[in-house]
């Protein structure tokens, strides 16, 4: 699979460590090699190694335990939920969904997306933006970003509504395989164009659900920023206490 810009060294190292966790080389509960050992084994600088380990800790693959060092946790648990925005973003059939495509084109990758896709800040990506409507009113704005090399020659570059969802389309056309999704929720004020599309008054914030869809190696294939008007949302989740 060809990408426009090669992933940074720390991202590539993190992917290698993920693969070793997946295949059992680094088993859950064991210590990963020390920073010095990783520097020597992969010929990378200490800052690169430290950044890769921090990335894996952030995403739940590793954890630091006082007196034990860095411990393997294994694949982060995927929590099933009946209303996962990530699943909706990947599976939405634009030709049938209530709403409309408001933008399709190649743009400079936003900073919040560049690091997740492993691209430089000047790289170009394809953005596909869909406004979801509820009874004719704007309900959420979904901006999906794809590495330029991944979508070349696909219907994702067309401004026409896509049938079947982005995941099914890419898996069929590019022979990639989506494996897991991470969702990161935050709140912020919308940009002017976002506020206009969502018909938000000045000062009303949005909830941003950053959906990162990856293959089994941890390589991000699609990043979607799902914006929800904060004044129209009520989030609820139920979970068991261990």
């Amino acid at each position: 699979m060809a990408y426009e810009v090669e992933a940074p060294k720390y991202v590539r190292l993190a992917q290698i460590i993920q693969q070793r966790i997946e295949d059992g080389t680094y088993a859950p509960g064991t210590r990963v090699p020390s920073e010095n050992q990783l520097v020597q084994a992969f010929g990378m600088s200490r800052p690169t190694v430290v950044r890769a380990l921090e990335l894996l800790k952030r995403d739940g693959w590793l954890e630091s335990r006082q007196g034990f060092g860095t411990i393997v946790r294994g694949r982060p648990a995927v929590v099933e939920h009946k209303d996962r925005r990530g699943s909706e973003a990947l599976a939405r059939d634009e030709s049938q969904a209530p709403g409309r495509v408001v933008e399709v084109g190649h743009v400079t990758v936003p900073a919040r997306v560049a690091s997740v896709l492993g691209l430089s800040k000047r790289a170009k990506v394809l953005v596909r933006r869909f406004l979801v409507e509820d009874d004719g009113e704007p309900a959420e704005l979904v901006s999906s970003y794809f590495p330029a090399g991944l979508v070349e020659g696909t219907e994702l570059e067309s401004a026409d509504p896509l049938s079947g969802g982005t995941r099914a389309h890419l898996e069929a056309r590019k022979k990639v395989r989506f494996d897991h999704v991470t969702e990161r929720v935050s709140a912020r004020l919308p940009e002017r164009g976002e506020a206009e599309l969502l018909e938000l008054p000045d000062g009303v914030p949005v909830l941003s659900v950053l959906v990162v869809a990856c293959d089994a190696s941890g390589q991000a294939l699609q990043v979607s920023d799902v914006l929800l008007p904060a004044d129209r949302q009520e989030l609820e989740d139920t979970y068991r206490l261990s």
Side-chain angles (χ1 to χ4, degrees), residues 141-160:
L141 180 62
V142 184
S143 301
S144 296
Y145 301 90
F146 308 86
L150 179 62
V151 298
E152 185 177 353
T154 71
E155 294 175 17
L156 289 175
E157 297 179 296
S158 169
D160 294 330

Side-chain angles (χ1 to χ4, degrees), residues 3-191:
Y3 286 93
E4 186 178 57
V5 178
E6 187 176 36
K9 287 184 178 180
Y10 79 94
V11 173
R12 301 202 302 270
L13 177 57
Q15 292 169 352
I16 292 172
I17 296 174
Q18 283 181 7
Q19 291 170 353
R20 294 191 177 189
I21 294 173
E22 293 275 6
D23 66 21
T25 302
Y26 301 151
T30 64
R31 294 175 59 180
V32 296
S34 67
E35 292 176 10
N36 284 337
Q37 290 172 325
L38 291 172
V39 167
Q40 295 174 4
F42 296 101
M44 295 184 179
S45 67
R46 183 179 297 276
T48 296
V49 169
V50 170
R51 196 171 180 186
L53 294 176
E54 289 301 319
L55 179 63
L56 292 167
K57 292 174 187 176
R58 184 198 69 186
D59 289 346
W61 294 84
L62 304 175
E63 65 176 326
S64 294
R65 293 183 187 173
Q66 188 172 2
F68 290 92
T70 302
I71 305 299
V72 176
R73 295 183 63 185
R75 173 186 291 281
V78 179
V79 180
E80 295 296 334
H81 193 285
K82 65 180 181 180
D83 189 30
R84 282 296 184 191
R85 299 288 176 178
S87 298
E88 292 178 0
L90 295 174
R92 178 173 287 112
D93 186 332
E94 296 173 352
S95 65
Q96 301 296 323
R100 55 192 172 92
V101 178
V102 294
E103 181 183 356
V104 177
H106 290 271
V107 298
T108 301
V109 60
R112 65 184 179 278
V113 176
S115 61
V116 179
L117 286 175
L119 298 175
S120 72
K121 294 181 180 179
R122 295 182 180 180
K124 293 291 186 178
V125 293
L126 177 78
V127 63
R128 191 172 184 88
R129 188 164 284 131
F130 189 84
L131 182 66
V132 181
E133 298 177 341
D134 184 8
D135 290 332
E137 299 293 329
E140 64 185 73
L141 180 62
V142 184
S143 301
S144 296
Y145 301 90
F146 308 86
L150 179 62
V151 298
E152 185 177 353
T154 71
E155 294 175 17
L156 289 175
E157 297 179 296
S158 169
D160 294 330
L162 184 71
S163 299
T166 57
R167 174 184 177 180
H169 188 75
L170 285 173
E171 288 188 337
R173 302 297 194 282
K174 291 296 185 175
K175 308 305 179 185
V176 296
R177 183 63 58 186
F178 286 73
D179 181 76
H180 59 277
V181 171
T182 300
E183 297 180 9
R184 304 168 188 168
V185 182
S186 60
R188 64 176 173 86
L189 289 175
E191 298 175 1

Side-chain angles (χ1 to χ4, degrees), residues 214-228:
C214 303
D215 62 17
S217 73
Q219 172 65 56
L221 303 173
Q222 173 179 338
V223 177
S224 296
D225 191 8
V226 182
L227 296 186
L228 308 163

